[in-house]
Amino acid sequence: MSWTVSPESHDSPVAAALWRAYYTEVSDRWYLLHEGRRTDPAELEREIAARSGADLAPPGGRLLVARHDGVPAGTAGVRLLDASTAELTRVFLYEEMRGKGGAALLVAAAEDAARALGAGRMILDTRGDLVEARALYARLGYRETEPHNDDRYAEHWFTKPLV
């Protein structure tokens, strides 16, 4: 079984399916934890439409898709925030693909993409309930830092030098 990671257009059918799966999972997790319900379908559609991923397109961003034996399995996005800082976002693997090494490969590819864009550091934010993500980032050398944004859902912020 082999992994590959390659750039993908943010508006491709593959990217759209991965974005829908990612957003559905993180949204449902939040609502189940805080309100005891899944995401309202109308809200899900609004949010998916509102966050097209255009900020992950060249020249200032990249969307990467991981494939396992040629089948789309996950995604990661990078966008430049300024000349030296990139943000890691949309790191996701389908549940059945987790634990097979794909997440570390996606993050490494995203770091390479950020370097190619000129970034010297990567930042990201995540939620407290996404414990798997926090463990991954710590394992890959990211350190928790002070908030760098005021995103309503962000509860943990990380940074990593890319040099």
Side-chain angles (χ1 to χ4, degrees):
M1 294 187 205
S2 65
W3 284 99
T4 60
V5 178
S6 58
E8 182 85 22
S9 175
H10 76 281
D11 57 358
S12 76
V14 167
L18 286 162
W19 171 227
R20 177 174 292 283
Y22 167 85
Y23 193 80
T24 300
E25 181 174 327
V26 297
S27 183
D28 280 353
R29 281 179 74 160
W30 192 89
Y31 278 114
L32 286 167
L33 178 65
H34 295 283
E35 298 183 12
R37 65 173 179 89
R38 294 198 178 279
T39 308
D40 174 81
E43 177 187 22
L44 181 68
E45 294 308 318
R46 279 193 311 274
E47 288 302 313
I48 287 172
R51 298 179 186 216
S52 70
D55 56 339
L56 304 177
R62 298 290 183 278
L63 181 67
L64 303 168
V65 169
R67 287 177 170 80
H68 189 261
D69 290 337
V71 178
T75 188
V78 175
R79 62 177 158 241
L80 278 178
L81 299 180
D82 60 42
S84 64
T85 306
E87 182 178 29
L88 179 63
T89 186
R90 294 193 188 189
V91 177
F92 171 76
L93 283 172
Y94 287 121
E95 187 173 358
E96 63 273 13
M97 292 289 108
R98 296 175 191 164
K100 299 179 181 189
L105 289 174
L106 265 171
V107 173
E111 291 169 357
D112 288 344
R115 284 185 201 94
L117 292 169
R121 77 178 179 127
M122 186 85 86
I123 63 172
L124 64 94
D125 64 66
T126 192
R127 298 191 326 235
D129 64 307
L130 300 177
V131 294
E132 307 91 343
R134 292 185 6 243
L136 172 71
Y137 301 134
R139 183 170 53 83
L140 297 178
Y142 287 79
R143 67 172 178 79
E144 199 153 353
T145 187
E146 294 298 314
H148 58 259
N149 64 26
D150 59 358
D151 185 296
R152 148 182 190 196
Y153 298 107
E155 298 170 321
H156 297 270
W157 296 262
F158 291 83
T159 188
K160 181 180 179 179
L162 297 176
V163 291

